[in-house]
Amino acid sequence: MSESLNGKGLALVPKAEGKQTLKDFKSDQEVRWCPGCGDYAILAAVQSFMPELGIKRENTVFVSGIGCSSRFPYYMNTYGFHSIHGRAPAIATGLAASRPDLSVWVITGDGDALSIGGNHLIHALRRNVNLNILLFNNRIYGLTKGQYSPTSEVGKITKSTPMGSLDKPFNPISLAVGAEAGFVARTIDSDRKHLHSVLREAAAHRGTSLVEIYQNCNIFNDNAFEDLKDPDKRDVITLRLEHGQPIANASQAVRIAPTGGLEVVARDSISPEEILVHDVHNPDPSLAFALSRLDEPAFQHVPIGIFRSVDRPSYDHLMSEQLEMAVAQRGPGDLDELLQGGDTWKIN
Amino acid sequence: MTKQVQQLDRVIIRFAGDSGDGMQLTGDRFTAETASFGNDLSTLPNFPAEIRAPAGTLPGVSSFQLHFADHDILTPGDAPNVLVAMNPAALKANLSDLPRGADIIANADEFTKRNLQKVGYDVNPLEDESLAEWRLHSVPLTSLTVKALEEFDISKKDAERAKNMFALGLLSWLYGRPVEATIKFIETKFAKKPEIAKSNVAAFNAGYNYGETTEAFSVSYEIKPAPLSAGVYRNISGNQALALGLVAASVQSKLPLFLGSYPITPASDILHELSKHKRFGIRTFQAEDEIAGVGAALGAAFGGALGVTTTSGPGVALKAETVGLAVTTELPLIVVDVQRAGPSTGMPTKTEQTDLLMALFGRNGESPVPVIAPATPSDCFDAAVEAARIAIKYRTPVMLLSDGYLANGSEPWKVPAQAELPDISVEFTTAPNGDDGTTFLPFKRDAETLARPWAIPGTPGLEHRIGGIEKADGTGNISYDPNNHDLMVRLRQAKIDGIDVPDLEVDDPDGDARVLVLGWGSTYGPIAAAARRVRRGGGKVAQAHLRHLNPFPKNIGEVLKSYDKVLLPEINLGQLALLLRAKFLVDIISYNRVRGLPFKAEELAGVIQEVIDSE
Ligand SMILES: Cc1ncc(C[n+]2csc(CCOP(=O)(O)OP(=O)(O)O)c2C)c(N)n1
Ligand code: SF4
Ligand SMILES: [Mg+2]
């Protein structure tokens, strides 16, 4: 029975009557990010995407933590909850688990999701509540004015690391795949079309979807993703992941390495049959994980797109099923019967 | 041989043995028999934090104390009249609590050289004269059990294990307890292992018959039923009552209950109990940590559920930031703190009242939260309903302060009918509340309660955003305006200060006492029992007990000021005293013990008498 919702992330959310537009999703609040911040592009992309879902606006909720990115809900004319640092996945879990009729979106940053909220993130992913987590990765702490983050490259010079940061960063995609995530994708603030295509699939996935969005912080970590935007470099570096298609661009291609992992080689050095064909539905996460490691060292070749989209029953649905089963087996709860249960005796 | 039957008005029995000896189960069964017989009773389990400390050692001793009487009683009793000691460790660990002349029933088989050595006895105390001042019954419980079970097809180990049932049978005879329910209980418990079921019943019966026939016990006792008011009763522990109270709150509020919780002693049983009641639409969520537990509960509350989180002190520390978020977003939330001995891990299975100031002030910013403390195990039911009432009506997190003593202790509870419970239902906001008839103001308050509207996702036209950043009065938009912040801080405080709590009642039978003994939470029983003792001895004392610790009852200042002296016993270093002194300028006399154990009535009676005498 749980399987029937596979690929139908919005099946239980009521449909909107009439057509919605971008304007419907804009709140009356003045947007207060720094001019030029990548968050603007993501906001515009999300606002223009939401009408496409065709669900009731009032059944849409954006929940965020703390950070520049987490101001996002204030700008969406939906229900919204700007919570506390790192805890949005937990708060959204309670909301989505108790209200399957809602489309719940979590907005979080690299510090919010991977530092203070790391524990909630990994557990949300393995638990698979019907949530869409958008992780705005600018590889820096924006709101606190520029300290290095858990996705900053080693040696990052910031106010808190004047001689360079020492700790190895997380790769959010590897982390998510390792945390049993069913849906894992990466996209970039500057590519609205790609962003839309990924959001579409994330919303359709029933369970927790993690979308890493490369986001430029032009104040504290400008041009962190410049190579992916530079017209000369981007087509060489970017590896678009498309289900059923060979993983390759004009010059590079991915194949299974003799060691068993994946490797990127010059496209013309191998035959077309050798190029790995992407299968987002592969139940074995090994290849998705190996794909996530291809950008080591960073930005030589960066897979963009959906790494993994594998269905399994969502937690909220299984939870509802248990409640239904309990009622089916013994009938709905009766308070008097419950209170008088156990060993009772009567005094006249 | 006919034996003499002696009348008693009350008895305190302590069952003590190794953690593996089944003493909690034995105690529970004896309690159930006693309850169904109609005595009033009160119980106190006491067990180590370790699941199985090394067998036969002092840290491994687990005990269960039961006080039962032909009249209404208030505590599990100060000192046992009877100690059942299943091994030398149990004897050694409990003897100092046992008044001279009390009965000791010791399992002689376990007093072997090795077991004696483990706890430092050079000579077997059952055989020298060291116990001469007590009435010692040295009974070979293990071998008698094994002998009684010879004909059963079970291992020697299984036979030996049934010795607690033999002991239970013996005690059941000694105090004339009804046995049918215990036999039924054993049969159900071991339904899948019929041979074990039969042998345990046989061991129980053998113990009973042993009492009847042996010359070692010449007297049995009768304790008449207590004259309780008419009704249906059950024996209930604090944790169980609290869980049922939450179910009742869900039914009476017509809100689905969502529990977000992370296991911790002594609160886990609430999670366990609520997990059984899915038929009531209750969702129980075992989170990755306490922060996620309360976060999920708050998220569910935003969605229109009755959000609850249950924990103990260390968990409350972790939840603080989220409770602050609930304060400022003004959403209903119930935070249950089953207090235990701290700081840090402290003594997880022992009781304390040391989280009061944390509950009141343990958050950043001006962050007022109502605090309610139940007085007895069964009162946890009503306190839970009351916590939900306040949370829902005023849209606020509420702290419910139980403790280890209430959680695991039990007493008879007159079961209420649903029809007697308050209606605490709420109307979600479904229409714009702005003067223009179209805007929605999520922070426009109810004139009387100052509560803000609760509009849940799914409601068209009322889409709005809330969060931890300061909100403009009315609109709820982000605001850094200094005057607005000052206003919001004061409004949030005024809302909590204005909560309708009942007046503090004073119990002063003669009406002319000059000394008031005040308490809060689980000290009710010992304080009330102590006040009775003092009054029996001719002393005059008034008693009052606080259930609402924030806001205080409106008349509390008046009550405090109308006595010459106010004595306040607390199982902390004077946390409530600090507050009362600060708020009402009353020179409270504190009495504080922080031993992880409840007060004893005799101890408190002495303290009360001293204060009276010093008048
Ligand atoms: C409990 C707590 N600790 C620290 C902070 C301070 N703080 C706010 S945002 C932030 C980091 C934000 O970084 P990120 O999640 O990457 O978001 P960004 O601003 O880059 O979008 C920190 C440390 C806080 N608000 N709360
Ligand atoms: S600090 Fe960086 S992330 Fe934050 S708003 Fe400014 S540009 Fe954007
Ligand atoms: Mg960041």
Side-chain angles (χ1 to χ4, degrees):
Chain A
M1 178 177 158
S2 332
E3 276 76 40
S4 61
L5 288 171
N6 284 353
K8 296 181 193 154
L10 301 171
L12 303 179
V13 184
K15 301 278 164 298
E17 293 138 24
K19 215 169 129 53
Q20 299 165 328
T21 66
L22 179 156
K23 260 178 83 186
D24 293 326
F25 286 89
K26 276 191 174 171
S27 79
D28 59 358
Q29 296 299 293
E30 182 197 348
V31 184
R32 292 199 198 154
W33 288 306
C34 309
C37 175
D39 290 347
Y40 281 98
I42 305 174
L43 176 64
V46 173
Q47 284 170 335
S48 63
F49 166 73
M50 293 310 291
E52 183 188 310
L53 292 179
I55 52 172
K56 287 194 165 163
R57 193 160 48 90
E58 63 266 26
N59 286 67
T60 310
V61 187
F62 282 81
V63 182
S64 64
I66 295 289
C68 295
S69 36
S70 288
R71 294 292 174 95
F72 196 98
Y74 287 113
Y75 309 135
M76 295 295 299
N77 191 13
T78 62
Y79 281 87
F81 200 155
H82 178 226
S83 72
I84 46 177
H85 202 18
R87 318 302 172 195
I91 291 169
T93 290
L95 179 62
S98 54
R99 291 287 306 273
D101 62 321
L102 301 178
S103 172
V104 181
W105 298 74
V106 171
I107 306 293
T108 181
D110 41 319
D112 195 58
L114 300 171
S115 253
I116 192 165
N119 196 32
H120 307 309
L121 181 76
I122 56 174
H123 287 279
L125 293 172
R126 77 170 171 86
R127 201 174 275 131
N128 203 34
V129 179
N130 194 28
L131 298 175
N132 307 299
I133 303 177
L134 309 187
L135 196 172
F136 292 26
N137 184 6
N138 53 12
R139 309 189 73 182
I140 201 78
Y141 284 2
L143 192 68
T144 44
K145 302 205 163 98
Q147 300 83 2
Y148 82 113
S149 91
T151 56
S152 299
E153 61 279 14
V154 176
K156 184 95 185 164
I157 307 266
T158 71
K159 277 180 241 169
S160 63
T161 52
M163 293 174 71
S165 62
L166 303 172
D167 30 348
K168 187 170 166 60
F170 269 135
N171 176 326
I173 304 288
S174 306
L175 183 86
V177 172
E180 306 291 342
F183 184 98
V184 185
R186 172 186 289 147
T187 183
I188 183 160
D189 56 5
S190 54
D191 187 342
R192 180 178 297 195
K193 204 168 141 229
H194 191 261
L195 231 162
H196 277 190
S197 72
V198 167
L199 293 181
R200 190 173 299 128
E201 296 302 320
H205 179 77
R206 189 157 172 98
T208 307
S209 328
L210 179 98
V211 180
E212 178 189 20
I213 306 177
Y214 283 157
Q215 173 243 325
N216 192 42
C217 166
N218 55 309
I219 301 295
F220 297 112
N221 198 21
D222 198 15
N223 296 332
F225 308 103
E226 200 44 33
D227 289 356
L228 295 173
K229 300 179 184 178
D230 179 347
D232 293 336
K233 293 195 193 152
R234 69 179 173 213
D235 295 336
V236 183
I237 298 171
T238 312
L239 289 163
R240 297 261 165 178
L241 299 176
E242 270 162 55
H243 180 63
Q245 298 296 319
I247 306 172
N249 57 31
S251 56
Q252 307 194 84
V254 176
R255 72 166 178 189
I256 295 185
T259 55
L262 294 180
E263 63 181 358
V264 183
V265 294
R267 183 162 189 165
D268 53 16
S269 71
I270 57 171
S271 68
E273 301 82 70
E274 271 185 272
I275 304 178
L276 180 69
V277 174
H278 190 40
D279 177 8
V280 294
H281 305 308
N282 189 346
D284 179 352
S286 316
L287 281 177
F289 186 82
L291 279 173
S292 76
R293 311 307 292 174
L294 289 180
D295 65 355
E296 290 275 308
F299 300 113
Q300 299 299 305
H301 12 74
V302 181
I304 294 276
I306 298 166
F307 287 72
R308 176 173 168 75
S309 174
V310 174
D311 284 317
R312 70 189 148 95
S314 66
Y315 180 91
D316 48 296
H317 194 67
L318 295 171
M319 192 181 217
S320 298
E321 275 188 344
Q322 282 196 343
L323 302 196
E324 284 160 23
M325 206 188 305
V327 172
Q329 283 167 355
R330 291 171 53 214
D334 174 326
L335 189 58
D336 278 324
E337 181 198 298
L338 174 70
L339 299 185
Q340 306 211 357
D343 286 341
T344 56
W345 69 96
K346 209 169 172 169
I347 289 178
N348 296 314
Chain B
M1 156 180 126
T2 49
K3 292 194 175 182
Q4 193 195 333
V5 177
Q6 197 182 321
Q7 298 286 330
L8 295 176
D9 64 346
R10 65 190 192 104
V11 179
I12 300 162
I13 301 179
R14 185 180 295 177
F15 296 91
D18 208 49
S19 303
D21 283 341
M23 288 300 97
Q24 301 304 324
L25 176 82
T26 310
D28 273 343
R29 281 323 306 167
F30 194 88
T31 303
E33 291 174 2
T34 298
S36 72
F37 183 75
N39 294 125
D40 193 13
L41 66 87
S42 172
T43 69
L44 176 68
N46 192 354
F47 40 83
E50 295 76 18
I51 304 306
R52 288 277 158 90
T57 61
L58 290 172
V61 173
S62 163
S63 71
F64 185 102
Q65 183 165 313
L66 166 71
H67 180 188
F68 59 105
D70 66 1
H71 53 276
D72 85 301
I73 51 170
L74 297 154
T75 75
D78 291 354
N81 312 115
V82 184
L83 172 69
V84 179
M86 298 301 280
N87 66 6
L91 177 67
K92 185 145 200 184
N94 291 288
L95 193 61
S96 61
D97 291 344
L98 212 60
R100 315 271 140 168
D103 286 281
I104 299 173
I105 301 174
N107 180 8
D109 291 325
E110 289 292 321
F111 283 68
T112 60
K113 211 166 166 193
R114 211 169 143 254
N115 285 349
L116 291 166
Q117 270 168 0
K118 272 190 201 169
V119 293
Y121 277 124
D122 294 330
V123 190
N124 186 344
L126 307 185
E127 287 167 5
D128 64 6
E129 287 298 300
S130 61
L131 299 176
E133 290 176 55
W134 288 273
R135 288 199 296 188
L136 175 66
H137 310 267
S138 174
V139 185
L141 289 170
T142 314
S143 48
L144 284 170
T145 308
V146 171
K147 191 141 182 288
L149 303 185
E150 261 167 0
E151 69 204 72
F152 290 89
D153 182 17
I154 55 170
S155 67
K156 180 152 181 266
K157 210 168 145 216
D158 279 335
E160 285 178 355
R161 256 204 204 135
K163 63 181 180 289
N164 64 333
M165 286 299 121
F166 188 97
L168 179 61
L170 174 57
L171 271 289
S172 300
W173 170 79
L174 200 54
Y175 293 98
R177 306 288 91 183
V179 299
E180 299 75 18
T182 293
I183 291 172
K184 216 182 262 162
F185 170 85
I186 298 172
E187 285 168 354
T188 343
K189 182 172 161 71
F190 299 110
K192 291 211 180 92
K193 298 180 189 157
E195 201 63 14
I196 300 282
K198 274 191 243 160
S199 57
N200 271 282
V201 171
F204 178 73
N205 286 333
Y208 195 95
N209 295 336
Y210 174 79
E212 216 161 30
T213 50
T214 183
E215 290 179 6
F217 293 92
S218 53
V219 188
S220 75
Y221 303 95
E222 186 177 61
I223 300 92
K224 294 231 163 69
L228 300 171
S229 66
V232 175
Y233 285 78
R234 68 188 281 189
N235 189 54
I236 198 152
S237 72
N239 271 350
Q240 224 180 350
L242 205 153
L244 295 186
L246 291 172
V247 180
S250 168
V251 172
Q252 295 304 96
S253 64
K254 303 187 184 73
L255 298 176
L257 195 151
F258 184 97
L259 173 72
S261 187
Y262 188 78
I264 184 168
T265 301
S268 302
D269 283 339
I270 305 172
L271 165 65
H272 304 162
E273 180 69 29
L274 286 173
S275 299
K276 290 193 273 189
H277 302 305
K278 299 192 178 2
R279 295 196 295 147
F280 288 83
I282 293 173
R283 287 176 156 84
T284 53
F285 170 65
Q286 182 175 319
E288 57 269 25
D289 59 25
E290 279 86 352
I291 302 174
V294 66
L298 185 62
F302 181 58
L306 179 60
V308 181
T309 189
T310 50
T311 190
S312 184
V316 177
L318 286 173
K319 290 171 197 293
E321 192 190 9
T322 312
V323 176
L325 180 65
V327 168
T328 195
T329 52
E330 305 192 39
L331 285 168
L333 179 72
I334 300 172
V335 181
V336 178
D337 176 4
V338 185
Q339 300 166 94
R340 67 187 216 185
S344 187
T345 306
M347 302 194 288
T349 57
K350 310 296 177 201
T351 198
E352 226 164 75
Q353 297 184 298
T354 42
D355 293 349
L356 176 61
L357 293 181
M358 172 167 70
L360 281 161
F361 304 117
R363 288 166 299 282
N364 61 308
E366 292 289 353
S367 180
V369 162
V371 178
I372 297 173
T376 71
S378 68
D379 186 40
C380 290
F381 178 90
D382 297 313
V385 177
E386 172 71 349
R389 179 189 75 84
I390 291 177
I392 293 167
K393 179 169 174 187
Y394 294 91
R395 324 271 202 262
T396 175
V398 176
M399 285 271 183
L400 187 52
L401 284 185
S402 177
D403 61 31
Y405 169 62
L406 296 180
N408 292 316
S410 71
E411 64 179 353
W413 175 46
K414 187 171 162 188
V415 181
Q418 185 185 345
E420 299 163 15
L421 298 175
D423 176 2
I424 54 172
S425 59
V426 60
E427 301 268 342
F428 293 126
T429 302
T430 54
N433 59 353
D435 292 337
D436 59 4
T438 55
T439 35
F440 175 56
L441 301 170
F443 283 82
K444 181 175 167 178
R445 294 167 191 280
D446 178 272
E448 185 212 335
T449 62
L450 297 183
R452 74 177 191 91
W454 192 7
I456 63 170
T459 315
L462 305 191
E463 292 84 356
H464 66 282
R465 277 66 56 193
I466 58 170
I469 302 187
E470 186 58 285
K471 292 149 285 286
D473 182 30
T475 65
N477 292 334
I478 291 180
S479 169
Y480 290 93
D481 177 69
N483 288 331
N484 175 74
H485 179 55
D486 187 79
L487 174 69
M488 291 300 273
V489 166
R490 287 172 199 281
L491 280 171
R492 287 187 288 261
Q493 184 67 47
K495 179 177 83 167
I496 303 306
D497 291 345
I499 291 172
D500 55 339
V501 304
D503 272 352
L504 181 63
E505 282 174 28
V506 179
D507 173 41
D508 179 9
D510 297 335
D512 56 357
R514 297 311 315 143
V515 171
L516 173 75
V517 55
L518 180 73
W520 68 275
S522 73
T523 51
Y524 172 77
I527 293 177
R532 280 188 192 171
R533 275 183 198 225
V534 169
R535 288 168 192 157
R536 272 203 302 272
K540 304 230 180 229
V541 63
Q543 192 206 347
H545 206 73
L546 274 173
R547 170 198 201 69
H548 289 273
L549 294 138
N550 194 34
F552 286 129
K554 305 254 174 310
N555 67 334
I556 182 173
E558 207 181 299
V559 169
L560 293 178
K561 286 183 179 131
S562 52
Y563 291 87
D564 296 344
K565 291 194 170 141
V566 179
L567 170 67
L568 174 50
E570 291 181 85
I571 308 179
N572 59 37
L573 294 183
Q575 299 194 4
L576 178 60
L578 178 80
L579 286 177
L580 296 179
R581 281 168 164 260
K583 276 197 116 147
F584 302 103
L585 300 176
V586 170
D587 192 15
I588 305 282
I589 303 167
S590 270
Y591 179 75
N592 311 106
R593 288 290 179 277
V594 197
R595 305 168 60 236
L597 295 169
F599 286 121
K600 293 184 171 174
E602 187 186 352
E603 166 193 12
L604 290 183
V607 176
I608 296 172
Q609 194 58 54
E610 251 176 61
V611 173
I612 295 174
D613 293 345
S614 72
E615 270 267 287

